[in-house]
Amino acid sequence: MDKQKIIRVARNTIQEEANAIANLVDLVDENFCEAVDLIYSSKGRVIVTGIGKSAIIAQKIVATFNSTGTPAIFMHAADAIHGDLGNILKDDVVICISKSGNTPEIKVLVPLIKNYKNPIIAITANKDSFLGTEANCVLNSYVEKEVCPNNLAPTTSTTAQLVVGDALAVTLLDIRGFSSSDFAKYHPGGALGKKLYLRVSDITSQNMKPQVNAESGIKKVIVEISENMLGVVAVTEKDKIIGIVTDGDIRRMLNNNDDFSLLKAKDIMSPNPRVINNNAMAVDALEVLEENNISQLLAEENGNYAGVVHLHNLIKEGII
């Protein structure tokens, strides 16, 4: 196996596709504005259709639309002419994806869609094709050649189609003022969603709440840390945080004192510890932990001790 050849081919593939995508910049014209306006003004959904590899790209574009506030569904071009045309409703906009724009399925499908009087947006590398001339507007996804050495396997052309779809989705997102909080509504699951909506209170409410006062003896401190399994205890006065004792503080105390029976929490605590608001985002808590190279962070609400956020909580939630 020639490792240098493998690296050379891989790099060449990436570079050629990158060059082809860069060339798409000059192909964006008034048709793109018209396509955006058709979708933005529509009271319906976006139906995205294609055949072969273009159908796979269509599914990805649909997923991107749906996650960024543009309702969309996928309709396979072959299935459309065998019953799935019923998916198209009165106010829907249809995006047809085809490199050549002249496949048999597209030639059958496009006139049927036009009979329904739904606007058609074409994503094609051949604006003079049947699809290009029949569509309401054409988004040019022209590429000089496929990166496949035989210039056969859809590679560069499908990448170009995907990029055009991303450009549509992002432009619509921008026009709608789609915010991170809107994004969170569509992504409630997974690490991405949790970064956008998970709050410190969601974590502290599930954790134990280790707490002692300044006059508590060391045995009480150790028991509180041990039983609550967070490696830390808050030192409070009238429910106000005045200090913190970590398991590291306990180890240092044992190393430095032969007799600690008379010591109290106030003798080994770190005063004025770092604190985060209980209503803050969990990802903000992570930032504080990382910046200060610590594993636990105390939380407060309305000035009162609210609980503990541990680094392990954030790992478990998938924030990291």
Side-chain angles (χ1 to χ4, degrees), residues 286 310-320:
L286 173 62
H310 197 289
L311 183 63
H312 292 165
N313 297 135
L314 302 176
I315 294 173
K316 182 179 178 181
E317 293 289 349
I319 298 296
I320 299 177

Side-chain angles (χ1 to χ4, degrees), residues 15 21 37 64 94 117 145 165 172 189 227 239 254 305 313:
Q15 187 60 62
I21 296 309
D37 184 59
T64 303
V94 180
K117 301 189 184 305
K145 65 184 183 68
L172 288 161
E227 289 185 347
D239 219 26
L254 293 173
Y305 173 51
N313 297 135

Side-chain angles (χ1 to χ4, degrees), residues 181 193-206 276-285 299 308-309 313-314 317 319:
S181 60
K194 287 184 177 180
K195 285 182 179 181
L196 295 169
Y197 78 82
L198 192 72
R199 297 188 179 275
V200 171
S201 58
D202 296 321
I203 294 174
T204 57
S205 62
Q206 298 180 42
I276 192 166
N277 191 288
N278 207 35
N279 291 315
M281 306 305 295
V283 70
D284 294 331
V308 178
V309 179
N313 297 135
L314 302 176
E317 293 289 349
I319 298 296

Side-chain angles (χ1 to χ4, degrees), residues 6-243:
I6 291 172
I7 292 172
R8 184 173 66 256
V9 172
R11 287 177 173 174
N12 181 66
T13 300
I14 294 170
Q15 187 60 62
E16 284 195 28
E17 291 212 1
N19 293 340
I21 296 309
N23 290 335
L24 291 177
V25 172
D26 295 329
L27 301 182
V28 177
D29 56 17
E30 295 296 324
N31 277 273
F32 192 88
C33 298
E34 185 178 349
V36 170
D37 184 59
L38 282 172
I39 297 172
Y40 183 72
S41 302
S42 171
K43 297 179 181 178
R45 306 155 303 168
V46 178
I47 311 296
V48 190
T49 188
I51 194 80
K53 302 299 186 296
S54 294
I56 297 172
I57 297 301
Q59 292 178 66
K60 169 55 173 67
I61 292 174
V62 164
T64 303
F65 275 147
N66 282 325
S67 68
T68 53
T70 299
I73 64 171
F74 167 70
M75 181 181 69
H76 197 282
D79 294 334
I81 58 179
H82 292 286
D84 280 5
L85 272 174
N87 284 320
I88 303 177
L89 303 180
K90 176 184 176 183
D91 295 318
D92 293 341
V93 175
V94 180
I95 297 177
C96 286
I97 306 175
S98 173
K99 178 187 177 182
S100 70
N102 288 316
T103 60
E105 293 84 0
I106 292 297
K107 286 186 174 182
V108 172
L109 177 59
V110 168
L112 296 174
I113 296 173
K114 294 186 74 171
N115 285 340
Y116 284 92
K117 301 189 184 305
N118 294 85
I120 300 174
I121 299 168
I123 298 180
T124 181
N126 183 5
K127 62 181 182 179
D128 297 321
S129 63
F130 176 83
L131 174 60
T133 55
E134 293 294 317
N136 294 77
C137 55
V138 181
L139 304 184
N140 195 343
S141 61
Y142 174 78
V143 294
E144 184 175 345
K145 65 184 183 68
E146 302 287 3
V147 75
C148 161
N150 300 313
N151 195 28
L152 294 174
T155 46
T156 312
S157 62
T158 49
T159 303
Q161 292 168 354
L162 184 60
V163 169
V164 171
D166 284 345
L168 271 177
V170 173
T171 302
L172 288 161
L173 178 155
D174 181 73
I175 291 173
R176 290 192 172 99
F178 197 81
S179 67
S180 60
S181 60
D182 294 319
F183 197 82
K185 295 176 185 177
Y186 295 94
H187 299 76
L192 182 58
K194 287 184 177 180
K195 285 182 179 181
L196 295 169
Y197 78 82
L198 192 72
R199 297 188 179 275
V200 171
S201 58
D202 296 321
I203 294 174
T204 57
S205 62
Q206 298 180 42
N207 282 341
M208 305 292 271
K209 191 179 175 182
Q211 184 175 3
V212 296
N213 60 52
E215 297 299 322
S216 296
I218 293 302
K219 181 178 179 180
K220 169 67 174 174
V221 173
I222 293 174
V223 169
E224 194 73 3
I225 292 176
S226 177
E227 289 185 347
N228 290 281
M229 299 180 291
L230 290 168
V232 68
V233 61
V235 182
T236 62
E237 181 177 308
K238 295 182 180 179
D239 219 26
K240 307 292 183 184
I241 299 171
I242 62 171

